[in-house]
Amino acid sequence: MSVREITEKLVCRGISEQTAEETAEWLQSIGAINDAEYAAAIVRHYASGGYGLMRIRDELYRHGIARELWEDALSQAPAMEEAAWRALKSRLRGK
């Protein structure tokens, strides 16, 4: 989960926003959550599923990943065209 997702989840459970933010910062400081690694995982997941650049960016936004982390995460993605081709082949297997 991203820092934003953790914060929102805690607030939804009745924790004050300040405490939720402090908790998320503490989790980040001890290495329990890392938005850069999470962004890279999101990119790998959606790229391997054959999704394009715009969908991956939408997912990064939806998960609350800071924009300054997007480009680095996207640069680590496997070739999008190759992943899309593999996903299409697996979905159309035998048809």
Side-chain angles (χ1 to χ4, degrees), residues 12-58:
C12 285
R13 293 186 180 206
I15 306 295
S16 73
E17 190 165 338
Q18 180 182 355
T19 303
E21 289 172 359
E22 290 171 358
T23 302
E25 288 174 16
W26 175 74
L27 287 168
Q28 194 172 23
S29 72
I30 65 169
I33 56 175
N34 183 322
D35 279 2
E37 289 177 10
Y38 187 47
I42 290 170
V43 169
R44 283 191 307 272
H45 173 75
Y46 285 96
S48 69
Y51 292 98
L53 185 61
M54 292 305 293
R55 172 61 186 262
I56 294 171
R57 286 179 185 218
D58 285 345

